[in-house]
Amino acid sequence: MKNSVIVVGAGGAGLVAALSAHERGAKVTVITKEYPTRSQTCMAQGGINAALGNAGEDSVEAHIQNTLKSAHGMAKESAVEFLCQSAPEVLAWLDGIGVPFSRTKDGKIAQRKLGGASAARACYAQDYTGLKILHTLYDRCVAVGIEFLNERYLLDLLTHSDANKTYVSGVLVLNKRSGEAEVHEAQSVILATGGYSRVFHNHSTNSVASSGDGVAAAFRAGAVLSDLEFIQFHPTAMKNSSILISESARGAGGYLLNSKGERFTNELAPRDEVARAIHKEMLKGESVFLDIRHLGKEFIEHELPQEAKLAKLYEGVDPIRELIPIKPSAHYTMGGILVDADAQTNIAGLFAVGECANQRVHGANRLGGNSLLEVVVFGKKAGESAVRHIKESLPLVSALSKKEFWEAKIKEIKNYTNEINFYQAHQELGEIFYKNVGILREENSMQEAVAKVKEMRSTLSKMGVSDKAKEYNTNLTEFLEFANMLELGELILLCAIERKESRGAHFRADAPQSEARFEANSLIGRDMAVRYEN
């Protein structure tokens, strides 16, 4: 266990953190509930921001100001400055390890303009940017010998406390293959488990794995969560499937049209504004479409090949000749586990990075192209901080009681009755959240959602699993994911109800203006009380 770091999650943030810790001499183990190349990072299609100026004049200062403006007063300026100032160096590093970026005619990294940006700043690899970054990082991790434990579901964090502080000492996971609970000890743990927008079920662009497991586990361990109410809706998810059509399609010149064929908004405004404009059209009874036909067959096939394939596969339309029916869908969670500049939580030795964390760089509305940048910039920082903590950590302690608790809990869950189908309950939860906690919110409807979530939580013992097997029991892990989403769902609602204003992605129909007293981060801990901190 000497100099050991566990990284939970194998998306871009987790892999960068693992490489960073490995480079500093730590023994690193990456634990993931699926497989690294299936991580949500592969869905970040549009690009990664850096003020390189390869496609026209740009500056780091402009990047900083665009990010702060999009954040609606909710970002921490020092964190934003660090993010944007680090971007050129990060791009050089990614280029150096072999990410196959698209190129200009003179061989420079190609850049495109995304919503909210004052310049063409997003470096891209066709419309597969996140996927190609993810695969390159994974290849790098394998090449240097980092250990991967796949198909392990995070049950809880292992912690111990003295009179002054709580410390992390490892993780407890469920081996999905064997069905056994496993203890993995470490001096430092980095959570890179992604966001929680699958609480919206079929109204999310995210994979089914984005169930907030790391955020929920951190909360149970005593970590403070922050800004859970800020959930970004991507304007252009496909209508029937919620599969994402990248912002790169609008960045390339795509139009948004209503049923009458009218353009009704600035397609490159910040995402919260575009999503609300689309929602407004839908409330009028209009259907909304993305039109990229005028970009031409050659451009679409070369620059937007994934978007074309997805439209054909999931909507049955050929975007070279037809309109793509779209709707806004839950896409990115700006809030998460509160961390400081070193990616450290309030639990000693526990770090968080990527979408599960709140580094306070996105504020009330994330700027397109900044999520991939965040995972690399702060992934490096998290790995560095985790190794530095090893020297300060206490001896590891026995986790036997936690293991016995979860073994008994799993046995209990398998004995729950099946009076209520939790898959149907999750679908119902998603519909409630999309309607009551979505693009437009108001007090009464959110209180109705709170009552429903509490009712579901109180009847979990009637939502048993039909599969009693030990090995490969996906029915069990999906139940555990649903339980996490219910736990987080209540916390999201408490934060959204308490913020009695409109700001960025949080828009209250009954409080449509922003208020100075709410220009602060919401915090919530185990006492379930919402407070604010600048």
Side-chain angles (χ1 to χ4, degrees), residues 2-7 16-28 187-190 342-344 349-351 379-393:
K2 185 179 180 181
N3 293 349
S4 59
V5 175
I6 284 176
V7 179
V16 173
L19 286 168
S20 176
H22 174 83
E23 288 169 1
R24 288 165 174 79
K27 180 187 181 299
V28 181
Q187 280 94 348
S188 293
V189 173
I190 301 172
D342 294 321
Q344 168 80 60
L350 179 64
F351 303 84
K380 286 175 173 287
K381 177 64 73 172
E384 175 188 336
S385 300
V387 174
R388 187 167 58 246
H389 171 78
I390 288 172
K391 300 173 184 177
E392 308 165 1
S393 65

Side-chain angles (χ1 to χ4, degrees), residues 60-134:
V60 170
E61 181 57 30
H63 187 186
I64 292 169
Q65 292 307 316
N66 292 164
T67 301
L68 292 172
K69 180 180 179 181
S70 184
H72 293 274
M74 292 288 294
K76 189 173 184 179
E77 192 163 347
S78 60
V80 171
E81 289 173 352
F82 180 72
L83 176 79
C84 299
Q85 289 166 356
S86 301
E89 182 181 343
V90 157
L91 263 292
W93 180 74
L94 290 172
D95 193 29
I97 65 172
V99 175
F101 288 108
S102 296
R103 299 283 170 173
T104 63
K105 291 179 181 179
D106 57 359
K108 295 179 180 179
I109 294 174
Q111 295 182 279
R112 57 167 60 116
K113 188 176 182 180
L114 300 182
S118 58
R121 185 179 299 131
C123 306
Y124 62 92
Q126 294 180 298
D127 54 355
Y128 293 95
T129 311
L131 182 145
K132 292 183 179 182
I133 289 174
L134 180 69

Side-chain angles (χ1 to χ4, degrees), residues 110-246:
Q111 295 182 279
R112 57 167 60 116
K113 188 176 182 180
L114 300 182
S118 58
R121 185 179 299 131
C123 306
Y124 62 92
Q126 294 180 298
D127 54 355
Y128 293 95
T129 311
L131 182 145
K132 292 183 179 182
I133 289 174
L134 180 69
H135 283 217
T136 305
L137 291 171
Y138 179 57
D139 287 347
R140 188 80 168 179
C141 287
V142 171
V144 300
I146 290 172
E147 179 184 26
F148 283 84
L149 297 178
N150 302 317
E151 295 192 308
R152 263 74 169 187
Y153 179 82
L154 177 65
L155 295 172
D156 254 329
L157 296 168
L158 306 177
T159 60
H160 58 285
S161 302
D162 60 22
N164 302 311
K165 193 179 291 187
T166 298
Y167 302 81
V168 75
S169 56
V171 298
L172 182 71
V173 300
L174 179 67
N175 186 323
K176 293 163 70 174
R177 301 173 189 174
S178 67
E180 296 284 348
E182 296 177 348
V183 169
H184 296 277
E185 296 177 318
Q187 280 94 348
S188 293
V189 173
I190 301 172
L191 292 177
T193 50
Y196 47 86
S197 71
R198 284 303 296 191
V199 70
F200 289 87
H201 199 253
N202 290 332
H203 299 289
S204 171
T205 64
N206 285 199
S207 79
V208 295
S210 298
S211 49
D213 306 311
V215 181
F219 175 75
R220 290 192 293 271
V224 175
L225 308 184
S226 175
D227 296 340
L228 298 183
E229 66 270 34
F230 291 108
I231 300 167
Q232 184 175 80
F233 279 72
H234 199 288
T236 56
M238 286 188 282
K239 182 178 180 180
N240 296 311
S241 63
S242 288
I243 299 292
L244 178 67
I245 293 293
S246 169

